Amino acid sequence: MSTEQQRYLAYMLRLWQVSSDGEPIWRTLLESPHTGERHGFANLERLFAFLAEQMGGQPKHKEQPKDISEN
């Protein structure tokens, strides 16, 4: 992956609810619009871990991110 590609990531996120032993749970799917590659996740923790890995395990920022709707 080139340096420019590492600085920009885009995914389409799909979420849906399923029932497991009568309990509702959420499933997620990320799809790259650039490659069509798909990644499915059984829970949010795995989704977040994947995203952190894609971002190079970058540390969390100490400042709160601005809401993009504020621009």
Side-chain angles (χ1 to χ4, degrees):
M1 186 179 277
S2 74
T3 303
E4 184 61 31
Q5 288 175 320
Q6 290 176 347
R7 295 180 61 203
Y8 180 86
L9 299 169
Y11 293 100
M12 178 172 51
L13 172 64
R14 293 182 178 145
L15 302 110
W16 67 98
Q17 201 171 45
V18 297
S19 179
S20 177
D21 295 327
E23 294 293 319
I25 55 174
W26 286 95
R27 299 285 193 227
T28 61
L29 179 77
L30 290 180
E31 183 175 344
S32 168
H34 304 290
T35 66
E37 186 175 10
R38 294 179 175 186
H39 302 273
F41 305 94
N43 57 50
L44 290 177
E45 290 79 14
R46 290 184 180 173
L47 168 66
F48 295 151
F50 173 82
L51 291 172
E53 181 182 312
Q54 294 303 299
M55 295 168 55
Q58 295 177 358
K60 296 179 184 177
H61 293 285
K62 293 186 180 185
E63 354 177 315
Q64 292 293 328
K66 282 188 170 182
D67 184 340
I68 60 172
S69 63
E70 294 177 5
N71 294 334

